Amino acid sequence: SRKAFMREFRKVVETADVVLEVLDARDPLGCRCYDAEKMVMSVGGGRKRIIMVLNKVDLVPKDVVERWLEYLRNDFPTIPFRASLQEQKEKGSSKSSSLGADLLSRSECFGGDKLIQLLKNYSRNNGMKTALTVGVVGYPNVGKSSIINSLKRSRAVAVGSTPGLTRSLQEVALDKNLRLIDCPGIVFASDTAPSASLILRNCIRVEQLSDPIAPVETIIRRCGPHALCAAFGTPLFDGAAEFLGAVEER
């Protein structure tokens, strides 16, 4: 339940020295949780650090990634990231990409070394290395577990495209001074986003939908009928029901 996930989230925030907020590069603001950021800063009395991880950067154009990094870095340090190709194969990889042939041709994760180096910098206190606990938080299905597995370079936690796969805290030690905590995906109770928007972010299981038409109507409003006709090879339609019928008949 949402309440149970929120309890787990609070445990992560209270335990962690640094919190990684994972954002999907395809919709960074749509999956950014300002309430979570406020909670982190309030619980730590301003001493806890937040690092944003802009994940799945291989799925959007390079210039778009660069502009998002510039924007997000006005608030917190932000690292571009792409999980290892092995993680993507296990979840089902996408054909679209954008950071160029060089990035796509490599199987290792992108951004992992920079992220670990930044965390190790935070673990140094007066020149001495200290243990650092890092919480990994974000909306469901933004790639939190894949990031942990990529940093660990092994399948340390379960991954999948189904929302809510991670149901409880999972701890992974990268080394003797660096410990990661995987948090279940959270959607704040105060989140005022329409349910259709949460569905389109894959935050809600499809089998739990009470109204499957609403998210389709949202897609039509955002993309327009002509773009959808071109993408799905359907004739021009009038309304969500007619569009779904045309897709079914293909």
Side-chain angles (χ1 to χ4, degrees), residues 158-172:
V159 297
S161 58
T162 303
L165 185 64
T166 303
R167 293 184 174 275
S168 60
L169 304 187
Q170 302 179 74
E171 296 188 9
V172 176

Side-chain angles (χ1 to χ4, degrees), residues 110-127:
F110 173 80
D113 291 340
K114 289 184 178 179
L115 180 55
I116 289 178
Q117 186 58 52
L118 180 57
L119 292 173
K120 288 186 175 180
N121 288 342
Y122 288 156
S123 71
R124 294 187 178 94
N125 185 14
N126 295 325

Side-chain angles (χ1 to χ4, degrees), residues 27-175:
D27 185 16
L29 294 186
C31 55
R32 182 175 178 181
C33 190
Y34 294 94
D35 288 337
E37 295 168 12
K38 292 176 182 176
M39 181 180 292
V40 172
M41 301 309 293
S42 63
V43 169
R47 294 187 301 274
K48 294 183 184 288
R49 298 179 181 270
I50 296 176
I51 300 174
M52 289 186 173
V53 181
L54 191 62
N55 195 27
K56 307 181 185 182
V57 294
D58 54 317
L59 301 182
V60 294
K62 182 178 180 180
D63 62 310
V64 173
V65 172
E66 292 172 346
R67 291 200 296 270
W68 275 121
L69 290 173
E70 182 180 2
Y71 175 83
L72 295 169
R73 284 170 176 166
N74 289 323
D75 296 325
F76 301 105
T78 307
I79 303 292
F81 201 94
R82 192 238 14 217
S84 68
L85 288 181
Q86 182 60 37
E87 286 293 324
Q88 292 189 16
K89 288 176 183 176
E90 291 175 355
K91 295 179 66 174
S93 59
S94 171
K95 293 181 180 179
S96 75
S97 179
S98 52
L99 287 185
D102 182 52
L103 173 58
L104 288 178
S105 65
R106 294 178 293 173
S107 61
E108 70 270 17
C109 80
F110 173 80
D113 291 340
K114 289 184 178 179
L115 180 55
I116 289 178
Q117 186 58 52
L118 180 57
L119 292 173
K120 288 186 175 180
N121 288 342
Y122 288 156
S123 71
R124 294 187 178 94
N125 185 14
N126 295 325
M128 300 291 292
K129 287 187 177 181
T130 58
L132 192 73
T133 300
V134 181
V136 185
V137 306
Y139 271 86
N141 212 42
V142 293
K144 300 182 295 297
S145 298
S146 291
I147 288 175
I148 290 176
N149 288 342
S150 295
L151 295 177
K152 182 67 175 176
R153 298 183 181 180
S154 68
R155 190 180 173 87
V157 293
V159 297
S161 58
T162 303
L165 185 64
T166 303
R167 293 184 174 275
S168 60
L169 304 187
Q170 302 179 74
E171 296 188 9
V172 176
L174 290 188
D175 58 37

Side-chain angles (χ1 to χ4, degrees), residues 9 11 23 48-49 67 86 91 100 108 115 117 152 157 164 176 180 187 194 212 219-220 229 239 242 246 248:
F9 170 73
K11 290 179 186 177
L23 306 177
K48 294 183 184 288
R49 298 179 181 270
R67 291 200 296 270
Q86 182 60 37
K91 295 179 66 174
E108 70 270 17
L115 180 55
Q117 186 58 52
K152 182 67 175 176
V157 293
K176 63 179 182 180
L180 303 180
V187 178
I219 292 174
I220 294 173
C229 290
E242 188 173 321
E248 183 182 10

